[in-house]
Amino acid sequence: MTIDRATVKKWGHECGFELVGIAQAGPVPDLHAEALGNYLSRGFAGNMVYMSRNLEKRIDVTRLVSGATAVICVALSYFYAEQISPAFVPAGRISRYARRTDYHEVLKNKLRRLINRLKDKTDSKYNFRAFVDTAPLLEKYYAAQAGLGWIGKNGLLINQQYGSWLVLGEIVTDLPLENDLPAESLCGNCRKCLDVCPAKALVQPRILNASRCISYQTIENPAPIPEDFETLISDRVFGCDICQEVCPHNQGPRESSTPEFQTNPELAFVILDEIERLTPKQFDRKYQNTPIHRLGLDKLKRNAQICLRNVKDPGKTEKPPR
């Protein structure tokens, strides 16, 4: 059976993906490769040393999957309109993507369904490998090339209908497919995301100094958080959505169609003075299968202690957006 681009996209939507597009496999343009090298040499990746590994694969997906001709790019929205206030205070805020089931397994399950369908219809003649956020693959670059959206000035993929509240996945294959056209950037002269960041982590459009980012400090950084960063964190105990909240394309986006991404009210906030008493078993029971579980109890306690000091001083926190 001959499978074309339209068929793959149709099946992708039937498997539950809101966005599906095809990018051509191959090395990224020299300009992008040079930009990545410059980014790493400036230390903007912080302690994320894995970004410096397997660079030859990161800039050329055909070195990651030999013989690859296409990258099937998919996205799920995790946005649900919500008006949630903490039942108790003091409370720490949780980034929107982490208030629900861990997206890794949700995406992987849907990707497996799509791969099984592709294999069944091609008699396993072709190879398909699925990736979700864990391989040396420039997923936002390929998603933009596949027309899923454009890379905004906050460094995130933005879609005109769904905004930037998206999680991405890929299937790299040697199935010959015609590629989609890249989406046009609609950021224009807007620089709200750059100006609003309290830590000035966006040093220029699309260039994030991760070591200055609140999300990096509260999630990725394994070391103690620098003192001069503590006030900037405010009451954000896990992640930060500031640069997304102000984006014009995130004002009233289309809601997610993924039931697993319905917000769990118990995950919207963390009761800060309870975290210190949380045992490993209690932590596992409450946060299993959520992004917070991957953070680990020790780092959650580290973050909660900082947030608790901040919320006790009203001058160090701002009110959550309604």
Side-chain angles (χ1 to χ4, degrees):
M1 176 181 180
T2 301
I3 299 176
D4 59 13
R5 176 181 59 179
T7 301
V8 171
K9 294 172 74 169
K10 176 177 178 291
W11 290 349
H13 290 303
E14 290 174 353
C15 287
F17 295 113
E18 277 125 349
L19 301 173
V20 187
I22 313 296
Q24 183 177 6
V28 303
D30 290 343
L31 188 64
H32 289 269
E34 291 169 7
L36 176 59
N38 186 49
Y39 179 87
L40 295 171
S41 66
R42 295 172 73 180
F44 286 169
N47 288 324
M48 296 183 290
V49 295
Y50 62 84
M51 290 191 66
S52 298
R53 301 191 193 113
N54 298 307
L55 278 179
E56 72 286 349
K57 294 179 180 178
R58 197 175 293 276
I59 62 176
D60 184 354
V61 72
T62 63
R63 296 190 175 211
L64 179 64
V65 179
S66 179
T69 57
V71 182
I72 303 170
C73 299
V74 300
L76 291 175
S77 167
Y78 59 88
F79 177 84
Y80 279 96
E82 52 194 27
Q83 293 288 336
I84 299 174
S85 297
F88 307 97
V89 291
R93 270 183 279 175
I94 299 293
S95 187
R96 187 182 286 267
Y97 86 91
R99 302 173 188 174
R100 59 208 82 234
T101 303
D102 193 333
Y103 67 88
H104 291 84
E105 284 306 312
V106 177
L107 272 167
K108 286 177 183 176
N109 288 337
K110 293 180 184 298
L111 286 169
R112 290 187 192 107
R113 287 176 56 196
L114 180 54
I115 286 177
N116 288 339
R117 193 163 186 178
L118 288 164
K119 285 185 173 180
D120 180 60
K121 297 300 182 181
T122 58
D123 299 321
S124 299
K125 179 181 178 181
Y126 298 99
N127 297 310
F128 305 92
R129 286 188 62 186
F131 299 98
V132 180
D133 196 25
T134 55
L137 187 153
L138 297 177
E139 60 177 6
K140 285 180 289 188
Y141 166 80
Y142 285 107
Q145 291 299 302
L148 271 57
W150 69 94
I151 299 176
K153 292 180 182 179
N154 59 4
L156 300 172
L157 188 82
I158 302 176
N159 176 272
Q160 195 169 4
Q161 294 178 310
Y162 292 97
S164 62
W165 310 109
L166 299 168
V167 287
L168 308 177
E170 302 79 34
I171 296 173
V172 183
T173 179
D174 54 1
L175 176 69
L177 292 169
E178 182 183 1
N179 57 282
D180 285 289
L181 296 176
E184 178 185 357
S185 173
L186 298 179
C187 285
N189 294 323
C190 178
R191 52 174 292 121
K192 289 183 177 180
C193 57
L194 286 85
D195 295 336
V196 76
C197 178
K200 303 304 177 188
L202 288 161
V203 296
Q204 63 189 72
R206 302 173 190 85
I207 303 296
L208 174 76
N209 181 352
S211 63
R212 294 291 306 171
C213 177
I214 292 172
S215 283
Y216 167 83
Q217 289 292 343
T218 58
I219 300 174
E220 299 291 343
N221 183 14
I225 293 174
E227 264 186 61
D228 63 341
F229 235 92
E230 293 190 1
T231 300
L232 301 177
I233 287 172
S234 184
D235 59 348
R236 296 177 183 85
V237 73
F238 184 97
C240 177
D241 290 330
I242 297 175
C243 66
Q244 298 196 80
E245 289 164 348
V246 301
C247 178
H249 299 284
N250 282 336
Q251 310 310 309
R254 181 179 294 185
E255 287 196 347
S256 172
S257 61
T258 306
E260 297 96 323
F261 288 164
Q262 287 275 6
T263 299
N264 180 344
E266 293 186 6
L267 297 180
F269 293 88
V270 164
I271 310 307
L272 297 171
D273 56 7
E274 291 182 357
I275 297 301
E276 190 61 37
R277 301 190 297 272
L278 205 61
T279 68
K281 285 186 178 180
Q282 291 170 332
F283 173 78
D284 289 342
R285 186 163 55 247
K286 182 170 184 177
Y287 296 113
Q288 193 74 42
N289 300 321
T290 75
I292 300 170
H293 192 262
R294 291 187 291 111
L295 179 70
L297 180 56
D298 289 343
K299 286 204 288 186
L300 182 62
K301 288 185 175 182
R302 174 200 66 182
N303 297 348
Q305 289 167 0
I306 293 172
C307 291
L308 192 58
R309 290 196 292 270
N310 287 338
V311 298
K312 288 181 177 179
D313 183 348
K316 294 183 178 180
T317 58
E318 76 276 2
K319 293 181 180 180
R322 297 298 297 173

